Amino acid sequence: MSRNHYFLVSYRLGKQKKSTEVQAAASVLTPEQARYHIESLHSSELPSEITDIEVKPMGDAADQEPGQQRQT
C-alpha cells in the first residue's frame, strides 16, 4: 500500500509570493516536478513569470492527526 506525501511549494508569480500544497506518491518532489504542477495551475501565465520555486516536505497521510485539515 503506497502512502501519499504532501509538499508545500512556494514560488513567485510575477511579483506576488504564492504557495500551494502538492500531493504525490513519491517521497521526494523536485522543483522541476513542482514547476509542472504550478504551470498547470497558472496555464494563462507565461512560464517565465514563475520563479523562486521552493519545495518543503510536509509528511504523508499517516502523519496527520484525526480531524486535522490541510490548507491549500
Side-chain angles (χ1 to χ4, degrees):
M1 181 169 137
S2 67
R3 294 192 284 190
N4 289 324
H5 300 270
Y6 295 88
F7 302 89
L8 179 63
V9 178
S10 303
Y11 59 98
R12 285 190 174 274
L13 181 60
K15 294 183 181 184
Q16 281 190 341
K17 289 184 181 181
K18 296 199 170 264
S19 64
T20 188
E21 183 180 297
V22 176
Q23 181 179 348
S27 61
V28 175
L29 182 72
T30 66
E32 292 79 19
Q33 292 167 323
R35 172 175 283 283
Y36 179 80
H37 180 78
I38 296 166
E39 286 179 2
S40 70
L41 290 175
H42 303 288
S43 59
S44 63
E45 302 292 335
L46 292 173
S48 62
E49 290 291 309
I50 301 168
T51 60
D52 302 335
I53 299 171
E54 294 182 13
V55 179
K56 294 181 184 170
M58 296 174 65
D60 60 38
D63 292 338
Q64 284 206 359
E65 296 292 324
Q68 182 180 4
Q69 293 181 350
R70 295 193 180 269
Q71 288 186 319
T72 58

